[in-house]
Amino acid sequence: MAVTSAGYDTTSDTAFFAEITDVFRKHPEAAGKYALASLAVERELDVDYARQYGVSRIEGGRVITEFHDRDSDRPVIRARLCVKYELRGQELKCVHWMEAEE
């Protein structure tokens, strides 16, 4: 699936980004640890976080991300850091994490 501008609504996106900017300004200590990310790459790869989860690792100066099926590939990770959250209902759920060094 190619990512196009058709998938973006500039009116609602502009309002959303304005509110997110306000949140970052209100919480500068947290703003230094987080960034807002687009899901354009995941959409290009047809990733469905409802069915899949992502695991990233650093290898030779690159970030390598693999996506796994939630039902058949249960994660076996001793320590992990959440890198992407998705709002599900009224809760933020971790849908993509990075393996953490112990």
Side-chain angles (χ1 to χ4, degrees):
M1 175 170 92
V3 176
T4 68
S5 61
Y8 295 91
D9 178 351
T10 56
T11 303
S12 65
D13 288 356
T14 299
F16 172 76
F17 283 117
E19 290 190 35
I20 292 295
T21 300
D22 288 344
V23 170
F24 274 79
R25 284 185 183 134
K26 288 177 187 173
H27 303 279
E29 70 289 344
K33 297 186 288 184
Y34 299 97
L36 186 63
S38 166
L39 296 176
V41 172
E42 288 85 345
R43 287 188 178 161
E44 182 83 18
L45 296 172
D46 289 326
V47 171
D48 178 359
Y49 280 124
R51 294 183 307 101
Q52 298 167 286
Y53 63 92
V55 178
S56 296
R57 67 182 180 281
I58 297 172
E59 238 179 56
R62 297 183 303 171
V63 176
I64 307 297
T65 301
E66 297 174 337
F67 296 96
H68 302 274
D69 185 69
R70 288 185 181 278
D71 294 330
S72 61
D73 298 337
R74 290 285 180 204
V76 181
I77 299 174
R78 288 181 290 248
R80 64 186 189 185
L81 303 170
C82 191
V83 296
K84 286 189 182 170
Y85 295 89
E86 186 173 83
L87 185 63
R88 302 235 178 110
Q90 296 299 312
E91 295 183 29
L92 285 175
K93 297 284 186 179
C94 185
V95 296
H96 185 149
W97 55 85
M98 187 173 114
E99 297 172 359
E101 292 184 24
E102 294 186 42

